[in-house]
Amino acid sequence: MNTIRIPQHIIDAICRQAHDELPNEACGLLTGRGDTVMRRYALTNVDRSPEHFSFDPREQFRVLHSARSDNQRILANYHSHPASPARPSGEDLRLAFDPEAVYIIVSLMQPAPDVKAFSVAGGTAQPVAIEIIENPNGDEA
């Protein structure tokens, strides 16, 4: 995917979650259809760490079930970097196993959050453009 389309209210919610979960990394999943995000699922960072995250497997399963029920699929995962740039770390690259997924990173290094998206294949990250759109009748979980 070269571009992911995300409603502004979902970007805003991801940034709020990232601030709310400081000093730790925040994380979650985005579902939708095609290249358009329709829903955000804030997940628990079970590592409770400012340097890495792990999803709660039960929460992941619930998101997958909910997405399928809504005729959607998981398009992207996101996490925050409280004190580093909005680019995949070495650990992020090692743990990126799905070349179809978009990996969104929110950096909180500066006063304004920096949100960037990437595709990762073979340990290499490529930028993915984020297109801000109006709400496509989506929601948040």
Side-chain angles (χ1 to χ4, degrees):
M1 184 181 309
N2 295 326
T3 301
I4 188 164
R5 299 163 31 102
I6 307 174
Q8 183 65 56
H9 78 277
I10 289 180
I11 295 285
D12 294 343
I14 291 169
C15 293
R16 271 192 313 275
Q17 178 190 357
H19 277 289
D20 290 349
E21 296 193 22
L22 284 172
N24 298 325
E25 289 191 1
C27 59
L29 295 168
L30 304 177
T31 65
R33 296 185 189 109
D35 63 357
T36 303
V37 171
M38 301 178 81
R39 196 160 189 188
R40 175 185 77 100
Y41 294 85
L43 300 183
T44 302
N45 176 357
V46 296
D47 293 338
R48 291 176 174 72
S49 167
E51 297 171 355
H52 52 88
F53 75 97
S54 294
F55 293 140
D56 179 318
R58 292 168 299 188
E59 291 177 350
Q60 276 185 285
F61 180 75
R62 283 194 292 270
V63 171
L64 184 59
H65 179 73
S66 178
R68 287 181 178 164
S69 296
D70 293 337
N71 197 27
Q72 296 180 25
R73 67 182 182 91
I74 296 172
L75 298 179
N77 66 65
Y78 67 86
H79 72 280
S80 61
H81 282 180
S84 59
R87 65 174 178 251
S89 66
E91 181 175 294
D92 293 337
L93 293 173
R94 279 192 309 279
L95 298 176
F97 296 114
D98 185 355
E100 304 269 325
V102 173
Y103 296 86
I104 296 173
I105 300 173
V106 179
S107 172
L108 300 177
M109 284 181 60
Q110 302 300 321
D114 184 21
V115 182
K116 296 204 170 124
F118 302 89
S119 62
V120 179
T124 302
Q126 296 298 320
V128 171
I130 297 174
E131 180 183 340
I132 304 298
I133 60 169
E134 295 297 318
N135 185 3
N137 299 321
D139 205 353
E140 293 184 33

